[in-house]
Amino acid sequence: MSTSIANQLAAAPISWGVCEAADWGVQLSPEQVLGDMRELGIKATEFGPLGFLPTEPSARAAHLEGYGMKAVGGFLPVVLHDQAVDPLPLVEAELKAFSAAGASVLVLAADAGTGDYEAHHEMDEDQWVVFGRNLQAVVDLAAKAGILAVLHPHVGTMVESAASVQRLLESTAAQICLDTGHLLVGGTNPLDLVRQHASRVGIAHLKDVRSEIAAKVASGELGFVQAVKDGMFVPLGQGDCEIGQIVGLLTEAGYKGWYVMEQDAVLEAAADGAAAKTDVRTSIDFLLGL
């Protein structure tokens, strides 16, 4: 792997089990997570869910700086499909922290408003219209602050299925978060998406997936959280996402954005943090060995 790609590597607190969803398991402290990242030689991270780091913009920036971390940006679930919900106040407040920390990418999820990621959702025609209008408004608002807003197809949100991902690409101009794992679970082949739409990738969340477990989520046989507990997401190179080919195609296409190592994990106990750290190290070794 070239030095330039190595410099594009970042991590995310979700790899240590830190998540905004209800009943997600033990939530580790920022001190442990950022300390582990620093020990692994990681120089950049996403913020994690609201409340994980200080809310006040300058305090959040200082917290990351104390660990020698560059702020990539972060994941923000926002209701975009509901006519009665204005997404801009929430986004505007978060953008202040992004600007203070020098973050560059706002990763939006089309929040279903349920507080979890267990159910599958599809938008009707009216909701698609509202969604498209609100998404563009958020993209424009972020751009004014010099920040790229991308839409993250994600299990349990309003953009999960292959049909909804295709409609997102066809009906909006927004760039996307290429989350290799969530795309595969939702029915989209991430390698094929990169072949066809590499120019639409604004940030890449790299995770690998055991497809036999993912199929149970897609069929409704298994809930998302239980699938994560059962080991659906695995270190890079150990699943079925063809990560090496995906990174190769993005490189050939001139992609210069972040590669965020992001293996969704649910921790049953604080001691599980050691295994989470080991998994991130395994993913780093895989990427640097390509």
Side-chain angles (χ1 to χ4, degrees):
M1 178 177 283
S2 70
T3 302
S4 62
I5 293 180
N7 290 336
Q8 292 168 259
L9 295 187
I14 186 66
S15 294
W16 279 261
V18 179
C19 182
E20 70 287 342
D23 301 320
W24 191 263
V26 171
Q27 300 294 292
L28 299 180
S29 69
E31 289 69 31
Q32 180 170 347
V33 173
L34 296 177
D36 282 354
M37 289 183 186
R38 182 170 58 188
E39 289 180 18
L40 290 170
I42 296 166
K43 304 295 186 183
T45 182
E46 291 197 353
F47 288 136
L50 295 179
F52 176 64
L53 294 178
T55 302
E56 199 277 321
S58 60
R60 191 185 305 188
H63 201 90
L64 289 179
E65 198 171 296
Y67 287 87
M69 286 287 160
K70 179 179 178 61
V72 173
F75 177 77
L76 185 67
V78 184
V79 174
L80 297 169
H81 67 286
D82 188 340
Q83 181 70 51
V85 177
D86 180 2
L88 296 186
L90 172 62
V91 172
E92 193 165 24
E94 188 63 5
L95 286 175
K96 293 176 182 176
F98 276 57
S99 296
S104 57
V105 187
L106 173 63
V107 181
L108 302 165
D111 190 3
T114 61
D116 59 41
Y117 300 119
E118 293 303 299
H120 301 292
H121 307 275
E122 292 286 350
M123 286 184 277
D124 62 30
E125 291 300 317
D126 290 341
Q127 289 173 328
W128 270 106
V129 171
V130 175
F131 167 82
R133 183 169 63 243
N134 280 334
L135 176 58
Q136 189 60 52
V138 172
V139 168
D140 293 343
L141 181 65
K144 290 179 181 177
I147 294 166
L148 174 66
V150 301
L151 196 285
H152 182 339
H154 191 290
V155 173
T157 70
M158 305 307 292
V159 180
E160 171 186 357
S161 68
S164 63
V165 171
Q166 188 63 33
R167 182 154 182 175
L168 168 71
L169 291 165
E170 292 175 352
S171 66
T172 79
Q175 288 191 272
I176 66 167
C177 169
L178 180 85
D179 188 300
T180 54
H182 280 275
L183 285 166
L184 188 66
V185 176
T188 296
N189 184 311
L191 181 59
D192 288 345
L193 189 151
V194 173
R195 286 193 179 110
Q196 299 169 29
H197 301 287
S199 64
R200 296 288 292 275
V201 177
I203 191 170
H205 283 182
L206 299 183
K207 55 170 64 75
D208 221 338
V209 175
R210 293 168 63 192
S211 58
E212 71 275 11
I213 299 180
K216 294 180 180 179
V217 176
S219 69
E221 179 182 344
L222 201 60
F224 181 66
V225 174
Q226 188 58 50
V228 176
K229 290 179 179 179
D230 289 350
M232 178 168 66
F233 296 121
V234 293
L236 301 182
Q238 297 183 12
D240 301 307
C241 277
E242 302 174 292
I243 299 295
Q245 291 186 63
I246 288 170
V247 172
L249 284 177
L250 285 171
T251 302
E252 290 173 12
Y255 174 73
K256 302 297 183 185
W258 291 104
Y259 290 104
V260 183
M261 294 171 292
E262 199 211 45
Q263 179 185 338
D264 294 7
V266 174
L267 273 56
E268 302 284 358
D272 294 339
K277 180 181 177 182
T278 298
D279 283 348
V280 176
R281 177 180 281 116
T282 300
S283 291
I284 293 172
D285 292 344
F286 173 81
L287 286 171
L288 295 181
L290 287 176

